[in-house]
PDB file of all heavy atoms in Angstrom:
ATOM      1  N   VAL A   3     181.009  36.687 -51.090  1.00 97.00           N
ATOM      2  CA  VAL A   3     182.336  37.191 -51.062  1.00 97.00           C
ATOM      3  C   VAL A   3     183.269  36.014 -50.756  1.00 97.00           C
ATOM      4  O   VAL A   3     183.323  35.572 -49.588  1.00 97.00           O
ATOM      5  CB  VAL A   3     182.545  38.349 -50.054  1.00 97.00           C
ATOM      6  CG1 VAL A   3     184.031  38.795 -50.142  1.00 97.00           C
ATOM      7  CG2 VAL A   3     181.610  39.408 -50.401  1.00 97.00           C
ATOM      8  N   PRO A   4     184.039  35.494 -51.683  1.00 95.00           N
ATOM      9  CA  PRO A   4     184.957  34.339 -51.367  1.00 95.00           C
ATOM     10  C   PRO A   4     185.989  34.787 -50.356  1.00 95.00           C
ATOM     11  O   PRO A   4     186.554  35.946 -50.378  1.00 95.00           O
ATOM     12  CB  PRO A   4     185.598  34.047 -52.781  1.00 95.00           C
ATOM     13  CG  PRO A   4     184.637  34.663 -53.777  1.00 95.00           C
ATOM     14  CD  PRO A   4     184.036  35.881 -53.119  1.00 95.00           C
ATOM     15  N   VAL A   5     186.466  33.885 -49.504  1.00 90.00           N
ATOM     16  CA  VAL A   5     187.445  34.142 -48.583  1.00 90.00           C
ATOM     17  C   VAL A   5     188.797  34.394 -49.230  1.00 90.00           C
ATOM     18  O   VAL A   5     189.630  35.333 -48.860  1.00 90.00           O
ATOM     19  CB  VAL A   5     187.572  32.992 -47.545  1.00 90.00           C
ATOM     20  CG1 VAL A   5     188.802  33.219 -46.579  1.00 90.00           C
ATOM     21  CG2 VAL A   5     186.350  32.895 -46.794  1.00 90.00           C
ATOM     22  N   ASP A   6     189.133  33.699 -50.276  1.00 89.00           N
ATOM     23  CA  ASP A   6     190.258  33.793 -51.103  1.00 89.00           C
ATOM     24  C   ASP A   6     190.325  35.182 -51.783  1.00 89.00           C
ATOM     25  O   ASP A   6     189.473  35.526 -52.640  1.00 89.00           O
ATOM     26  CB  ASP A   6     190.503  32.734 -52.124  1.00 89.00           C
ATOM     27  CG  ASP A   6     191.792  32.736 -52.825  1.00 89.00           C
ATOM     28  OD1 ASP A   6     192.525  33.810 -52.772  1.00 89.00           O
ATOM     29  OD2 ASP A   6     192.183  31.793 -53.518  1.00 89.00           O
ATOM     30  N   GLY A   7     191.247  36.038 -51.356  1.00 87.00           N
ATOM     31  CA  GLY A   7     191.288  37.428 -51.783  1.00 87.00           C
ATOM     32  C   GLY A   7     191.586  37.590 -53.361  1.00 87.00           C
ATOM     33  O   GLY A   7     191.480  38.668 -53.926  1.00 87.00           O
ATOM     34  N   ARG A   8     191.964  36.539 -53.986  1.00 89.00           N
ATOM     35  CA  ARG A   8     192.189  36.541 -55.411  1.00 89.00           C
ATOM     36  C   ARG A   8     191.033  36.146 -56.306  1.00 89.00           C
ATOM     37  O   ARG A   8     191.101  36.215 -57.434  1.00 89.00           O
ATOM     38  CB  ARG A   8     193.412  35.618 -55.707  1.00 89.00           C
ATOM     39  CG  ARG A   8     194.732  36.009 -55.163  1.00 89.00           C
ATOM     40  CD  ARG A   8     195.696  34.861 -55.124  1.00 89.00           C
ATOM     41  NE  ARG A   8     195.319  33.721 -54.303  1.00 89.00           N
ATOM     42  CZ  ARG A   8     196.113  32.698 -54.102  1.00 89.00           C
ATOM     43  NH1 ARG A   8     197.307  32.717 -54.674  1.00 89.00           N
ATOM     44  NH2 ARG A   8     195.742  31.770 -53.386  1.00 89.00           N
ATOM     45  N   GLU A   9     189.937  35.673 -55.570  1.00 94.00           N
ATOM     46  CA  GLU A   9     188.778  35.256 -56.336  1.00 94.00           C
ATOM     47  C   GLU A   9     187.836  36.348 -56.604  1.00 94.00           C
ATOM     48  O   GLU A   9     187.601  37.223 -55.707  1.00 94.00           O
ATOM     49  CB  GLU A   9     188.104  34.160 -55.635  1.00 94.00           C
ATOM     50  CG  GLU A   9     188.757  32.864 -55.610  1.00 94.00           C
ATOM     51  CD  GLU A   9     187.905  31.752 -55.073  1.00 94.00           C
ATOM     52  OE1 GLU A   9     186.595  31.708 -55.194  1.00 94.00           O
ATOM     53  OE2 GLU A   9     188.416  30.786 -54.459  1.00 94.00           O
ATOM     54  N   PRO A  10     187.303  36.623 -57.846  1.00 96.00           N
ATOM     55  CA  PRO A  10     186.421  37.729 -58.105  1.00 96.00           C
ATOM     56  C   PRO A  10     185.000  37.545 -57.598  1.00 96.00           C
ATOM     57  O   PRO A  10     184.547  36.416 -57.402  1.00 96.00           O
ATOM     58  CB  PRO A  10     186.524  37.902 -59.614  1.00 96.00           C
ATOM     59  CG  PRO A  10     186.703  36.404 -60.096  1.00 96.00           C
ATOM     60  CD  PRO A  10     187.591  35.796 -59.016  1.00 96.00           C
ATOM     61  N   TYR A  11     184.299  38.525 -57.501  1.00 97.00           N
ATOM     62  CA  TYR A  11     182.847  38.638 -57.210  1.00 97.00           C
ATOM     63  C   TYR A  11     182.305  39.990 -57.592  1.00 97.00           C
ATOM     64  O   TYR A  11     183.124  40.869 -57.808  1.00 97.00           O
ATOM     65  CB  TYR A  11     182.606  38.251 -55.707  1.00 97.00           C
ATOM     66  CG  TYR A  11     183.066  39.373 -54.806  1.00 97.00           C
ATOM     67  CD1 TYR A  11     182.234  40.410 -54.292  1.00 97.00           C
ATOM     68  CD2 TYR A  11     184.393  39.317 -54.371  1.00 97.00           C
ATOM     69  CE1 TYR A  11     182.718  41.344 -53.492  1.00 97.00           C
ATOM     70  CE2 TYR A  11     184.910  40.339 -53.521  1.00 97.00           C
ATOM     71  CZ  TYR A  11     184.048  41.364 -53.132  1.00 97.00           C
ATOM     72  OH  TYR A  11     184.535  42.333 -52.239  1.00 97.00           O
ATOM     73  N   ASP A  12     181.055  40.076 -57.641  1.00 98.00           N
ATOM     74  CA  ASP A  12     180.421  41.335 -58.070  1.00 98.00           C
ATOM     75  C   ASP A  12     180.010  42.069 -56.745  1.00 98.00           C
ATOM     76  O   ASP A  12     179.039  41.680 -56.146  1.00 98.00           O
ATOM     77  CB  ASP A  12     179.180  41.097 -58.880  1.00 98.00           C
ATOM     78  CG  ASP A  12     178.693  42.377 -59.642  1.00 98.00           C
ATOM     79  OD1 ASP A  12     178.959  43.492 -59.120  1.00 98.00           O
ATOM     80  OD2 ASP A  12     178.051  42.229 -60.722  1.00 98.00           O
ATOM     81  N   VAL A  13     180.643  43.225 -56.526  1.00 98.00           N
ATOM     82  CA  VAL A  13     180.337  43.952 -55.253  1.00 98.00           C
ATOM     83  C   VAL A  13     179.003  44.505 -55.259  1.00 98.00           C
ATOM     84  O   VAL A  13     178.378  44.831 -54.178  1.00 98.00           O
ATOM     85  CB  VAL A  13     181.405  45.008 -55.001  1.00 98.00           C
ATOM     86  CG1 VAL A  13     181.229  46.200 -56.026  1.00 98.00           C
ATOM     87  CG2 VAL A  13     181.456  45.508 -53.553  1.00 98.00           C
ATOM     88  N   ARG A  14     178.458  44.688 -56.462  1.00 98.00           N
ATOM     89  CA  ARG A  14     176.968  45.181 -56.457  1.00 98.00           C
ATOM     90  C   ARG A  14     176.088  44.314 -55.883  1.00 98.00           C
ATOM     91  O   ARG A  14     174.977  44.663 -55.363  1.00 98.00           O
ATOM     92  CB  ARG A  14     176.605  45.459 -57.983  1.00 98.00           C
ATOM     93  CG  ARG A  14     177.363  46.620 -58.621  1.00 98.00           C
ATOM     94  CD  ARG A  14     177.213  46.787 -60.126  1.00 98.00           C
ATOM     95  NE  ARG A  14     177.676  45.616 -60.866  1.00 98.00           N
ATOM     96  CZ  ARG A  14     177.772  45.571 -62.121  1.00 98.00           C
ATOM     97  NH1 ARG A  14     177.389  46.586 -62.898  1.00 98.00           N
ATOM     98  NH2 ARG A  14     178.203  44.447 -62.805  1.00 98.00           N
ATOM     99  N   ASP A  15     176.329  42.998 -55.860  1.00 98.00           N
ATOM    100  CA  ASP A  15     175.485  42.036 -55.158  1.00 98.00           C
ATOM    101  C   ASP A  15     175.458  42.243 -53.715  1.00 98.00           C
ATOM    102  O   ASP A  15     174.508  42.146 -52.996  1.00 98.00           O
ATOM    103  CB  ASP A  15     175.859  40.618 -55.445  1.00 98.00           C
ATOM    104  CG  ASP A  15     175.625  40.196 -56.983  1.00 98.00           C
ATOM    105  OD1 ASP A  15     174.779  40.762 -57.600  1.00 98.00           O
ATOM    106  OD2 ASP A  15     176.361  39.354 -57.454  1.00 98.00           O
ATOM    107  N   VAL A  16     176.648  42.610 -53.190  1.00 98.00           N
ATOM    108  CA  VAL A  16     176.862  42.911 -51.773  1.00 98.00           C
ATOM    109  C   VAL A  16     176.017  44.225 -51.352  1.00 98.00           C
ATOM    110  O   VAL A  16     175.259  44.301 -50.452  1.00 98.00           O
ATOM    111  CB  VAL A  16     178.304  43.110 -51.352  1.00 98.00           C
ATOM    112  CG1 VAL A  16     178.466  43.470 -49.942  1.00 98.00           C
ATOM    113  CG2 VAL A  16     179.048  41.823 -51.605  1.00 98.00           C
ATOM    114  N   ILE A  17     176.171  45.190 -52.265  1.00 98.00           N
ATOM    115  CA  ILE A  17     175.449  46.401 -52.051  1.00 98.00           C
ATOM    116  C   ILE A  17     174.060  46.207 -52.017  1.00 98.00           C
ATOM    117  O   ILE A  17     173.239  46.691 -51.115  1.00 98.00           O
ATOM    118  CB  ILE A  17     175.876  47.467 -53.205  1.00 98.00           C
ATOM    119  CG1 ILE A  17     177.311  47.862 -53.172  1.00 98.00           C
ATOM    120  CG2 ILE A  17     174.977  48.735 -53.077  1.00 98.00           C
ATOM    121  CD1 ILE A  17     177.833  48.567 -54.334  1.00 98.00           C
ATOM    122  N   ARG A  18     173.376  45.486 -52.999  1.00 98.00           N
ATOM    123  CA  ARG A  18     171.979  45.271 -53.045  1.00 98.00           C
ATOM    124  C   ARG A  18     171.583  44.407 -51.856  1.00 98.00           C
ATOM    125  O   ARG A  18     170.356  44.446 -51.504  1.00 98.00           O
ATOM    126  CB  ARG A  18     171.654  44.532 -54.335  1.00 98.00           C
ATOM    127  CG  ARG A  18     171.913  45.349 -55.630  1.00 98.00           C
ATOM    128  CD  ARG A  18     171.395  44.732 -56.921  1.00 98.00           C
ATOM    129  NE  ARG A  18     171.759  45.502 -58.043  1.00 98.00           N
ATOM    130  CZ  ARG A  18     172.696  45.219 -58.877  1.00 98.00           C
ATOM    131  NH1 ARG A  18     173.514  44.081 -58.692  1.00 98.00           N
ATOM    132  NH2 ARG A  18     173.057  45.932 -59.956  1.00 98.00           N
ATOM    133  N   GLY A  19     172.435  43.660 -51.290  1.00 98.00           N
ATOM    134  CA  GLY A  19     172.019  42.833 -50.068  1.00 98.00           C
ATOM    135  C   GLY A  19     172.024  43.669 -48.794  1.00 98.00           C
ATOM    136  O   GLY A  19     171.697  43.155 -47.710  1.00 98.00           O
ATOM    137  N   VAL A  20     172.439  44.935 -48.813  1.00 98.00           N
ATOM    138  CA  VAL A  20     172.411  45.786 -47.685  1.00 98.00           C
ATOM    139  C   VAL A  20     171.464  46.965 -47.674  1.00 98.00           C
ATOM    140  O   VAL A  20     170.919  47.353 -46.763  1.00 98.00           O
ATOM    141  CB  VAL A  20     173.876  46.312 -47.489  1.00 98.00           C
ATOM    142  CG1 VAL A  20     173.933  47.283 -46.325  1.00 98.00           C
ATOM    143  CG2 VAL A  20     174.845  45.187 -47.192  1.00 98.00           C
ATOM    144  N   VAL A  21     171.271  47.430 -48.881  1.00 98.00           N
ATOM    145  CA  VAL A  21     170.454  48.708 -49.041  1.00 98.00           C
ATOM    146  C   VAL A  21     168.945  48.485 -49.147  1.00 98.00           C
ATOM    147  O   VAL A  21     168.591  47.303 -49.451  1.00 98.00           O
ATOM    148  CB  VAL A  21     170.982  49.549 -50.301  1.00 98.00           C
ATOM    149  CG1 VAL A  21     172.465  49.895 -50.126  1.00 98.00           C
ATOM    150  CG2 VAL A  21     170.667  48.788 -51.567  1.00 98.00           C
ATOM    151  N   ASP A  22     168.166  49.433 -48.949  1.00 98.00           N
ATOM    152  CA  ASP A  22     166.750  49.349 -49.000  1.00 98.00           C
ATOM    153  C   ASP A  22     166.216  48.734 -50.265  1.00 98.00           C
ATOM    154  O   ASP A  22     166.541  49.315 -51.310  1.00 98.00           O
ATOM    155  CB  ASP A  22     166.088  50.746 -48.696  1.00 98.00           C
ATOM    156  CG  ASP A  22     166.198  51.317 -47.321  1.00 98.00           C
ATOM    157  OD1 ASP A  22     167.130  50.692 -46.561  1.00 98.00           O
ATOM    158  OD2 ASP A  22     165.495  52.189 -46.984  1.00 98.00           O
ATOM    159  N   GLY A  23     165.418  47.712 -50.105  1.00 97.00           N
ATOM    160  CA  GLY A  23     164.738  47.141 -51.347  1.00 97.00           C
ATOM    161  C   GLY A  23     165.763  46.582 -52.340  1.00 97.00           C
ATOM    162  O   GLY A  23     165.266  46.154 -53.371  1.00 97.00           O
ATOM    163  N   GLY A  24     167.034  46.516 -52.031  1.00 98.00           N
ATOM    164  CA  GLY A  24     168.042  46.059 -53.000  1.00 98.00           C
ATOM    165  C   GLY A  24     168.199  46.913 -54.206  1.00 98.00           C
ATOM    166  O   GLY A  24     168.726  46.559 -55.275  1.00 98.00           O
ATOM    167  N   ARG A  25     167.695  48.221 -54.067  1.00 98.00           N
ATOM    168  CA  ARG A  25     167.827  49.174 -55.218  1.00 98.00           C
ATOM    169  C   ARG A  25     169.038  49.988 -55.229  1.00 98.00           C
ATOM    170  O   ARG A  25     169.357  50.682 -54.229  1.00 98.00           O
ATOM    171  CB  ARG A  25     166.523  50.062 -55.286  1.00 98.00           C
ATOM    172  CG  ARG A  25     165.301  49.341 -55.724  1.00 98.00           C
ATOM    173  CD  ARG A  25     164.104  50.204 -55.909  1.00 98.00           C
ATOM    174  NE  ARG A  25     163.627  50.650 -54.588  1.00 98.00           N
ATOM    175  CZ  ARG A  25     162.818  50.041 -53.780  1.00 98.00           C
ATOM    176  NH1 ARG A  25     162.346  48.850 -54.184  1.00 98.00           N
ATOM    177  NH2 ARG A  25     162.468  50.471 -52.664  1.00 98.00           N
ATOM    178  N   PHE A  26     169.802  49.978 -56.378  1.00 98.00           N
ATOM    179  CA  PHE A  26     171.035  50.675 -56.333  1.00 98.00           C
ATOM    180  C   PHE A  26     171.103  51.362 -57.771  1.00 98.00           C
ATOM    181  O   PHE A  26     171.087  50.689 -58.850  1.00 98.00           O
ATOM    182  CB  PHE A  26     172.190  49.795 -56.184  1.00 98.00           C
ATOM    183  CG  PHE A  26     173.562  50.357 -56.367  1.00 98.00           C
ATOM    184  CD1 PHE A  26     173.956  51.484 -55.610  1.00 98.00           C
ATOM    185  CD2 PHE A  26     174.454  49.846 -57.228  1.00 98.00           C
ATOM    186  CE1 PHE A  26     175.192  52.053 -55.831  1.00 98.00           C
ATOM    187  CE2 PHE A  26     175.668  50.395 -57.433  1.00 98.00           C
ATOM    188  CZ  PHE A  26     176.058  51.527 -56.696  1.00 98.00           C
ATOM    189  N   LEU A  27     171.246  52.686 -57.783  1.00 98.00           N
ATOM    190  CA  LEU A  27     171.345  53.461 -59.060  1.00 98.00           C
ATOM    191  C   LEU A  27     172.835  53.694 -59.341  1.00 98.00           C
ATOM    192  O   LEU A  27     173.384  54.589 -58.724  1.00 98.00           O
ATOM    193  CB  LEU A  27     170.547  54.691 -58.997  1.00 98.00           C
ATOM    194  CG  LEU A  27     170.526  55.535 -60.289  1.00 98.00           C
ATOM    195  CD1 LEU A  27     170.073  54.865 -61.454  1.00 98.00           C
ATOM    196  CD2 LEU A  27     169.820  56.879 -60.054  1.00 98.00           C
ATOM    197  N   GLU A  28     173.488  52.892 -60.127  1.00 98.00           N
ATOM    198  CA  GLU A  28     174.855  53.056 -60.453  1.00 98.00           C
ATOM    199  C   GLU A  28     175.101  54.209 -61.425  1.00 98.00           C
ATOM    200  O   GLU A  28     174.451  54.396 -62.410  1.00 98.00           O
ATOM    201  CB  GLU A  28     175.462  51.706 -60.992  1.00 98.00           C
ATOM    202  CG  GLU A  28     176.914  51.816 -61.150  1.00 98.00           C
ATOM    203  CD  GLU A  28     177.522  50.434 -61.522  1.00 98.00           C
ATOM    204  OE1 GLU A  28     176.756  49.434 -61.599  1.00 98.00           O
ATOM    205  OE2 GLU A  28     178.742  50.355 -61.762  1.00 98.00           O
ATOM    206  N   VAL A  29     176.119  55.013 -61.099  1.00 98.00           N
ATOM    207  CA  VAL A  29     176.530  56.103 -61.933  1.00 98.00           C
ATOM    208  C   VAL A  29     177.836  55.698 -62.730  1.00 98.00           C
ATOM    209  O   VAL A  29     178.776  55.099 -62.155  1.00 98.00           O
ATOM    210  CB  VAL A  29     176.791  57.334 -61.035  1.00 98.00           C
ATOM    211  CG1 VAL A  29     177.259  58.560 -61.952  1.00 98.00           C
ATOM    212  CG2 VAL A  29     175.620  57.706 -60.235  1.00 98.00           C
ATOM    213  N   GLN A  30     177.929  56.063 -63.924  1.00 98.00           N
ATOM    214  CA  GLN A  30     179.042  55.761 -64.826  1.00 98.00           C
ATOM    215  C   GLN A  30     179.353  54.272 -64.723  1.00 98.00           C
ATOM    216  O   GLN A  30     180.541  53.900 -64.571  1.00 98.00           O
ATOM    217  CB  GLN A  30     180.302  56.616 -64.412  1.00 98.00           C
ATOM    218  CG  GLN A  30     180.140  58.111 -64.598  1.00 98.00           C
ATOM    219  CD  GLN A  30     181.283  58.988 -64.179  1.00 98.00           C
ATOM    220  OE1 GLN A  30     181.615  58.802 -62.995  1.00 98.00           O
ATOM    221  NE2 GLN A  30     181.855  59.788 -65.015  1.00 98.00           N
ATOM    222  N   GLU A  31     178.394  53.506 -65.043  1.00 97.00           N
ATOM    223  CA  GLU A  31     178.500  51.966 -64.848  1.00 97.00           C
ATOM    224  C   GLU A  31     179.501  51.417 -65.816  1.00 97.00           C
ATOM    225  O   GLU A  31     180.207  50.528 -65.445  1.00 97.00           O
ATOM    226  CB  GLU A  31     177.130  51.418 -65.146  1.00 97.00           C
ATOM    227  CG  GLU A  31     177.125  49.929 -65.142  1.00 97.00           C
ATOM    228  CD  GLU A  31     175.659  49.357 -65.478  1.00 97.00           C
ATOM    229  OE1 GLU A  31     174.781  50.171 -65.690  1.00 97.00           O
ATOM    230  OE2 GLU A  31     175.636  48.102 -65.576  1.00 97.00           O
ATOM    231  N   ARG A  32     179.732  52.032 -67.015  1.00 96.00           N
ATOM    232  CA  ARG A  32     180.494  51.447 -68.015  1.00 96.00           C
ATOM    233  C   ARG A  32     181.957  51.949 -68.073  1.00 96.00           C
ATOM    234  O   ARG A  32     182.802  51.610 -68.870  1.00 96.00           O
ATOM    235  CB  ARG A  32     179.910  51.602 -69.331  1.00 96.00           C
ATOM    236  CG  ARG A  32     178.455  51.091 -69.425  1.00 96.00           C
ATOM    237  CD  ARG A  32     177.877  51.253 -70.838  1.00 96.00           C
ATOM    238  NE  ARG A  32     176.510  50.963 -70.931  1.00 96.00           N
ATOM    239  CZ  ARG A  32     175.779  51.010 -72.069  1.00 96.00           C
ATOM    240  NH1 ARG A  32     176.339  51.210 -73.211  1.00 96.00           N
ATOM    241  NH2 ARG A  32     174.432  50.718 -72.071  1.00 96.00           N
ATOM    242  N   TRP A  33     182.250  53.011 -67.185  1.00 97.00           N
ATOM    243  CA  TRP A  33     183.505  53.613 -67.204  1.00 97.00           C
ATOM    244  C   TRP A  33     184.219  53.359 -65.914  1.00 97.00           C
ATOM    245  O   TRP A  33     183.584  53.369 -64.804  1.00 97.00           O
ATOM    246  CB  TRP A  33     183.316  55.179 -67.446  1.00 97.00           C
ATOM    247  CG  TRP A  33     184.651  55.792 -67.428  1.00 97.00           C
ATOM    248  CD1 TRP A  33     185.655  55.724 -68.407  1.00 97.00           C
ATOM    249  CD2 TRP A  33     185.047  56.882 -66.594  1.00 97.00           C
ATOM    250  NE1 TRP A  33     186.688  56.586 -68.149  1.00 97.00           N
ATOM    251  CE2 TRP A  33     186.359  57.347 -67.016  1.00 97.00           C
ATOM    252  CE3 TRP A  33     184.496  57.491 -65.420  1.00 97.00           C
ATOM    253  CZ2 TRP A  33     187.087  58.336 -66.397  1.00 97.00           C
ATOM    254  CZ3 TRP A  33     185.264  58.494 -64.789  1.00 97.00           C
ATOM    255  CH2 TRP A  33     186.489  58.904 -65.263  1.00 97.00           C
ATOM    256  N   ALA A  34     185.608  53.046 -65.896  1.00 97.00           N
ATOM    257  CA  ALA A  34     186.316  52.818 -64.769  1.00 97.00           C
ATOM    258  C   ALA A  34     185.612  51.800 -63.881  1.00 97.00           C
ATOM    259  O   ALA A  34     185.287  52.018 -62.708  1.00 97.00           O
ATOM    260  CB  ALA A  34     186.549  54.115 -63.909  1.00 97.00           C
ATOM    261  N   ARG A  35     185.390  50.585 -64.418  1.00 97.00           N
ATOM    262  CA  ARG A  35     184.554  49.567 -63.789  1.00 97.00           C
ATOM    263  C   ARG A  35     185.184  48.992 -62.579  1.00 97.00           C
ATOM    264  O   ARG A  35     184.459  48.297 -61.783  1.00 97.00           O
ATOM    265  CB  ARG A  35     184.259  48.546 -64.793  1.00 97.00           C
ATOM    266  CG  ARG A  35     183.431  49.028 -65.995  1.00 97.00           C
ATOM    267  CD  ARG A  35     183.047  47.833 -66.865  1.00 97.00           C
ATOM    268  NE  ARG A  35     182.432  48.301 -68.124  1.00 97.00           N
ATOM    269  CZ  ARG A  35     181.858  47.588 -68.986  1.00 97.00           C
ATOM    270  NH1 ARG A  35     181.741  46.235 -68.875  1.00 97.00           N
ATOM    271  NH2 ARG A  35     181.350  48.040 -70.097  1.00 97.00           N
ATOM    272  N   ASN A  36     186.417  49.341 -62.289  1.00 97.00           N
ATOM    273  CA  ASN A  36     187.047  48.726 -61.028  1.00 97.00           C
ATOM    274  C   ASN A  36     186.601  49.518 -59.819  1.00 97.00           C
ATOM    275  O   ASN A  36     186.953  49.069 -58.710  1.00 97.00           O
ATOM    276  CB  ASN A  36     188.550  48.729 -61.182  1.00 97.00           C
ATOM    277  CG  ASN A  36     189.143  50.008 -61.847  1.00 97.00           C
ATOM    278  OD1 ASN A  36     188.584  50.520 -62.816  1.00 97.00           O
ATOM    279  ND2 ASN A  36     190.213  50.442 -61.429  1.00 97.00           N
TER     280      ASN A  36
END
């Protein structure tokens, strides 16, 4: 996560770095991607 609040990053990488086994089942992945 960049310190500069204007720089993008993929929050899914953060999620996988916290949850069991890095496994995350995303729902509606392609819609409302924000």
Side-chain angles (χ1 to χ4, degrees):
V3 181
V5 174
D6 186 343
R8 294 167 296 187
E9 290 189 30
Y11 64 94
D12 194 335
V13 75
R14 293 172 297 188
D15 294 334
V16 177
I17 295 167
R18 295 186 185 104
V20 172
V21 301
D22 287 16
R25 287 186 289 276
F26 175 57
L27 179 60
E28 188 173 354
V29 179
Q30 293 176 311
E31 177 184 356
R32 306 182 189 184
W33 182 63
R35 298 185 187 189
N36 41 324

